[in-house]
Amino acid sequence: MELADPIDFAGRAVIVTGGTKGIGAVIAETFLAAGAEVMVCGRTAPAALPASGGRSAAFHATDVRDPTAAAGLVAAAAERFGRLDVLVNNAGGSPDADAATVSPRFVEKVVALNLLAPFYVAQAANLVMLEQPEGGAVINIGSVSAHDPQPGTAAYSAAKAGLLGLTRALALEWAPTVRVNHITAGLVRTADATALYGDDGGAAVAGIVPMGRLAVPADVAHACLWLAGPHAAYINGADLAVHGGGEIPARDLARRAIRPPFSSP
């Protein structure tokens, strides 16, 4: 049996929303390194675009929460590259907020960015991919908050849970031409790690992850590469966990603090 090269994306076109920084920029760089043409978007142009091997991503200024702008992003990519093979809905996030006092406007903005925007961009991408014999792939970047909400994340957790449901619904409707999958991303060490996880950049937090470390953006990027590639051709409607095994339960951490794990009683 002859296997296709899982990391050869030459001649293929990719959109990465929120691809100008953080996890999104590394996803864009990874697809560029694999030979793809890549377009990233954001509300403002970055000082430098993701690049690899002497090639840079294209940029299109877009507020993906606006359905017209989202459609314009897809149209710009299809016009520039002549096709669209992969959409990575990466744009998202939210600061913590007290659910008892948070404003309706805040909730609306969080839901718009983390749930509605991926829907809008995916709708437009699907129309392009349906016209291609090879179809296409949509990858939604989700969060462990969809499965295990934390204090201060009510709106964000609800939106991310909705994104997982949206993924499964679209996978049913758009197959077999367009595959739609979801990545549950765990704690990721980015440039903002200090603000998110403390002055140690997440070293203490890593102790609750079975793998013993936070993810790095490349862990998520490599998962995207696999889901978009030929070795995942039958993967549709899946939720791929990229979280190092999740979090060790608090009761087990307490037990370990009392006596070493696996010690004799």
Side-chain angles (χ1 to χ4, degrees), residues 92-97 106 110 113-114 152 155-156:
S94 171
D96 285 358
F106 176 90
V110 170
L113 178 61
N114 291 281
Y156 177 74

Side-chain angles (χ1 to χ4, degrees), residues 16 19-20 23-33 36 38-40 50-52 57 221:
V16 182
T20 62
I23 297 170
V26 176
I27 293 172
E29 290 167 357
T30 300
F31 275 105
L32 284 166
V38 179
M39 178 171 285
V40 298
S52 180

